Amino acid sequence: MHQPQPAVRYLAPLPVEIWTLCWSLCSLRQQRRLSLVCTLFRSITLPFLFKHLSFDVGADFFDFYRNREEGIRCLRHMHRIAVRLDKLTEAPLAFAPFVQSWTVALGYRGQSKIDNTGRAEDLHTRIFETFGKALTLCHHLSMIHLKRLRIDTMLLSMVLSLPKLQHLTLDTRELTIADTGGVLPKNSMLRSLDLSHDFLLREGFADIDLPLLAHLTVRCVKEQEAFFQHVERFSQLESLTIDSIESSAFPVFKVNSLPNLRALSGPSNMITALAPNRPITRAFIDSGSLESLSQTCVALSRSVVPVYTLGLPYVDFRSRLLAGQSNLHRINSMQEFLTEITTLLPDVTDLTLKLPNPHMGRRSGNGYGGSIDIDLRPLDVEDLPILCDDTAFNDLPEHEISDDEGDSSNLGTKIIISVNKSLDTELKVESWTHQSFLKQISPSSLPLPRNIEVVHLQASWVDTPLPLAAQERALESLITAYPTLREVQFALPNSTWRQTGRSGSFWRVVSNDC
């Protein structure tokens, strides 16, 4: 009779540190399955499972208005979020201390015409209160992103009081800061601050010292004089990113202000005002006329250190064209412009250039401006689901419990070619590009700095595929003239070529996920 084999003692041979290293390489779904194997594996994987959290009640609020069926689904999803938040704080297995980064979108609370029972409002209140309770227990939280959320003095105080918080993003239009007698801390050890509007900085951080702030991002600046006066207080600031500024006039900055500023991203007039006499090594210019871009590059040339990374917006060269001149003349104008930039900033090794979009303003009839059917009939009591915490996770949607991680075989190398050799495969890579421009790419039509390493030619519109042979022809023309190149992008990320191989003679097309 066959005797059963003894169970393998898989835990004894390896120390916990080795198991931890192994499971750190697994996906979240794999770690979730491992947490069910044994007590040891559960203790190892739990910190990974709760390291990054995210929930979006705002999306449920939006879908809540679409129709009755969506309203029922959203109520169930909001209820599951509330129960999950409870588990973060319940003793003795409170998981909140495992959380290191958290993205939270609650949505702006408001009365819904179809929620005549107030069920959604009650769930929103429960989620908000439980989130505040869990937040105080997240002692290892270093990054938090709050969006579509009403932020008051108490919530901001709780966030800024987190002992290890370094990165804070506030994407909201509702901030209510009242003088409550010193509830807000006097200083914060934040390293990075990302705000949707400048008033969040002026009102929320007016009396808070940020001695370690190194990275500041603001999406929209309206009161720029008051804003930049506040910014000059950040003596350790290293990077400043501004998406839009309403006024074109800039205040005069103190000569010794922002001595550590190294990276700028924003309109050309902002970079022109801040670049001289500061150690700017990275600059991404979001917008500007042809003349203002030239002035900005002159200002960048007055940086106290060389500029190595430069991003240029789409430039309309038609202003330099005479009546009847063709795209060839436009390319010649681009050549003259790039020659001017290369002369001013010869040390650039990483260049991003946005290509013109011939379809700007055109939209198909599908998905743009279409109306959404909304069922505004109030929810009846008999239509409402029974929300019980103990059964909240019964009958979960398939996507929440599926172990299918998809096919990752399409990642990595798509095509490998050897320089100066023919292609092995005639595979077509989908990308949009300005055909008349890319067909004529050569060292003369695209003059680059002598030590260029990375060139990104970006576009925002996918129109027609660019044959792989055309990409190879443009690539070989560039790498022959600029041997220091190691990456070239044609329009979209899935047309990014990177140098590989020990000898550096092989290039491959990689996906955006690599």
Side-chain angles (χ1 to χ4, degrees):
M1 182 176 179
H2 178 71
Q3 296 296 326
Q5 297 295 320
V8 177
R9 290 184 169 274
Y10 58 89
L11 297 180
L14 295 178
V16 174
E17 292 78 8
I18 299 298
W19 288 117
T20 303
L21 181 60
C22 292
W23 301 154
S24 68
L25 302 176
C26 295
S27 67
L28 284 177
R29 290 185 185 273
Q30 292 169 339
Q31 290 168 352
R32 186 183 68 187
R33 294 196 292 269
L34 286 167
S35 69
L36 303 178
V37 173
C38 64
T39 303
L40 176 63
F41 285 6
R42 179 176 176 82
S43 65
I44 292 174
T45 55
L46 279 180
F48 296 122
L49 293 174
F50 288 91
K51 183 177 182 180
H52 306 290
L53 293 187
S54 176
F55 68 84
D56 189 348
V57 181
D60 289 320
F61 269 25
F62 174 78
D63 291 339
F64 195 77
Y65 287 89
R66 296 176 62 183
N67 53 55
R68 295 163 68 88
E69 287 72 20
E70 287 298 317
I72 300 299
R73 181 193 64 80
C74 292
L75 286 176
R76 291 187 180 277
H77 187 245
M78 292 171 64
H79 179 235
R80 289 196 295 272
I81 290 176
V83 176
R84 286 189 175 106
L85 284 174
D86 286 336
K87 297 300 180 182
L88 287 177
T89 61
E90 285 184 356
L93 298 177
F95 301 126
F98 294 136
V99 182
Q100 295 185 27
S101 71
W102 205 346
T103 298
V104 179
L106 281 183
Y108 301 110
R109 183 174 176 176
Q111 293 295 328
S112 165
K113 294 181 180 179
I114 66 174
D115 184 25
N116 59 319
T117 64
R119 187 73 64 87
E121 298 294 322
D122 293 341
L123 282 173
H124 186 282
T125 300
R126 176 182 173 182
I127 291 172
F128 181 81
E129 292 177 351
T130 311
F131 166 66
K133 180 181 178 182
L135 193 61
T136 60
L137 302 177
C138 294
H139 306 306
H140 296 94
L141 191 66
S142 63
M143 178 184 300
I144 187 167
H145 182 173
L146 303 178
K147 58 182 179 180
R148 295 191 297 276
L149 174 66
R150 182 182 290 110
I151 299 175
D152 58 15
T153 306
M154 190 59 65
L155 178 58
L156 185 60
S157 176
M158 284 193 297
V159 170
L160 295 178
S161 298
L162 293 170
K164 294 189 177 181
L165 186 67
Q166 293 190 4
H167 310 282
L168 173 62
T169 298
L170 299 180
D171 185 2
T172 180
R173 63 172 184 262
E174 294 189 11
L175 177 71
T176 305
I177 301 298
D179 183 7
T180 56
V183 172
L184 292 176
K186 294 298 182 182
N187 59 73
S188 172
M189 297 298 106
L190 283 176
R191 289 273 302 166
S192 173
L193 183 59
D194 189 330
L195 306 172
S196 55
H197 299 86
D198 60 323
F199 78 87
L200 296 173
L201 181 66
R202 298 195 313 272
E203 298 182 14
F205 297 86
D207 300 319
I208 300 176
D209 188 21
L210 301 173
L212 301 183
L213 188 67
H215 310 285
L216 176 62
T217 298
V218 181
R219 306 302 170 189
C220 178
V221 173
K222 293 185 177 181
E223 303 292 336
Q224 70 166 13
E225 185 171 356
F227 169 75
F228 282 106
Q229 285 179 355
H230 199 136
V231 169
E232 285 188 301
R233 297 166 46 190
F234 305 138
S235 60
Q236 300 301 315
L237 196 66
E238 297 178 11
S239 71
L240 177 62
T241 299
I242 308 293
D243 286 354
S244 67
I245 301 177
E246 290 197 354
S247 175
S248 59
F250 268 79
V252 177
F253 295 97
K254 300 176 183 177
V255 177
N256 59 349
S257 65
L258 306 178
N260 298 314
L261 193 61
R262 292 176 173 83
L264 286 170
S265 179
S268 59
N269 50 3
M270 181 193 81
I271 298 177
T272 301
L274 284 170
N277 304 316
R278 292 182 176 87
I280 306 298
T281 60
R282 298 168 56 87
F284 292 89
I285 310 173
D286 291 340
S287 60
S289 64
L290 192 58
E291 291 71 21
S292 66
L293 288 177
S294 298
Q295 295 173 4
T296 301
C297 291
V298 170
L300 286 169
S301 69
R302 295 168 55 196
S303 168
V304 297
V305 296
V307 176
Y308 295 114
T309 302
L310 179 65
L312 296 173
Y314 162 61
V315 181
D316 190 353
F317 292 95
R318 288 176 294 184
S319 60
R320 288 191 176 183
L321 299 183
L322 301 177
Q325 288 184 319
S326 64
N327 279 333
L328 178 60
H329 294 88
R330 183 183 298 187
I331 293 173
N332 291 336
S333 296
M334 179 182 289
Q335 174 188 351
E336 295 173 0
F337 174 69
L338 290 177
T339 300
E340 178 184 352
I341 300 304
T342 300
T343 303
L344 289 170
L345 305 171
D347 297 296
V348 169
T349 59
D350 189 329
L351 177 66
T352 298
L353 179 65
K354 293 186 179 179
L355 300 178
N357 183 352
H359 298 277
M360 190 69 70
R362 285 178 52 183
R363 290 291 185 269
S364 63
N366 298 325
Y368 294 93
S371 59
I372 299 177
D373 294 331
I374 299 177
D375 187 350
L376 293 180
R377 291 176 297 165
L379 290 173
D380 298 327
V381 175
E382 57 268 18
D383 293 334
L384 295 175
I386 298 175
L387 302 180
C388 175
D389 290 359
D390 293 335
T391 60
F393 299 98
N394 294 350
D395 302 322
L396 282 174
E398 180 64 25
H399 71 275
E400 291 198 28
I401 59 176
S402 173
D403 286 333
D404 183 14
E405 296 183 82
D407 183 11
S408 60
S409 61
N410 61 336
L411 301 180
T413 303
K414 292 183 178 178
I415 310 131
I416 298 181
I417 67 170
S418 177
V419 177
N420 298 325
K421 291 184 179 181
S422 59
L423 287 172
D424 296 330
T425 307
E426 288 297 328
L427 181 64
K428 186 178 293 184
V429 177
E430 294 288 331
S431 68
W432 176 90
T433 189
H434 202 285
Q435 299 284 348
S436 61
F437 172 62
L438 287 183
K439 285 181 179 178
Q440 302 180 57
I441 278 189
S442 67
S444 59
S445 65
L446 191 66
L448 301 173
R450 60 184 179 273
N451 295 322
I452 193 71
E453 297 179 8
V454 178
V455 177
H456 285 184
L457 305 175
Q458 295 183 345
S460 58
W461 184 272
V462 178
D463 188 271
T464 57
L466 177 68
L468 195 58
Q471 294 189 50
E472 183 199 24
R473 186 166 51 250
L475 179 65
E476 290 193 8
S477 177
L478 290 177
I479 62 181
T480 300
Y482 303 102
T484 55
L485 274 173
R486 53 183 173 82
E487 179 174 312
V488 178
Q489 176 184 315
F490 295 116
L492 292 175
N494 64 351
S495 294
T496 298
W497 295 79
R498 289 179 188 162
Q499 189 182 53
T500 61
R502 293 182 179 178
S503 63
S505 61
F506 287 87
W507 287 69
R508 68 174 182 173
V509 176
V510 296
S511 73
N512 192 31
D513 298 315
C514 293

